[in-house]
Amino acid sequence: MAAATLVTKPLPAHPLPRKPLPAGWPRERYASHNRRLKAMRLAIALLDTGVYRPEQATNHRIRGIAADIGVHAPSDTTCRLVRALLYDHC
């Protein structure tokens, strides 16, 4: 039986340009929106590196990926959200 190989695209050298958020939202909504975007970027990067299950995604590994893709180290809350996204992916 042939073993499957994982072929992933390299991480982008430059982050995608960000669009400004609409004015007038409560501050909590901006924070929640940005946290979800960051968690999604981290979850995609983890999937690209072969981490498919939430138990494989420790806080240490998530923060290491964050450094690799050039985003600030995520909080514990964001790490939990990344694991929740990976759980939904399974």
Side-chain angles (χ1 to χ4, degrees):
M1 183 169 160
T5 58
L6 179 64
V7 179
T8 61
K9 294 184 258 182
L11 297 174
H14 307 315
L16 295 173
R18 295 184 178 186
K19 293 187 234 177
L21 295 174
W25 284 358
R27 181 167 174 75
E28 296 81 26
R29 188 166 175 191
Y30 290 112
S32 173
H33 177 79
N34 288 331
R35 183 183 308 276
R36 285 180 282 153
L37 287 177
K38 184 176 192 175
M40 189 170 49
R41 284 193 299 270
L42 290 168
I44 291 168
L46 284 167
L47 290 170
D48 285 345
T49 60
V51 176
Y52 298 109
R53 302 188 49 83
E55 56 270 8
Q56 296 173 316
T58 62
N59 286 359
H60 186 269
R61 181 174 261 173
I62 293 170
R63 289 183 177 122
I65 289 293
D68 291 345
I69 64 172
V71 299
H72 289 282
S75 66
D76 291 342
T77 304
T78 304
C79 290
R80 280 193 301 273
L81 184 54
V82 170
R83 284 189 286 276
L85 289 170
L86 290 176
Y87 180 76
D88 286 342
H89 169 74
C90 293

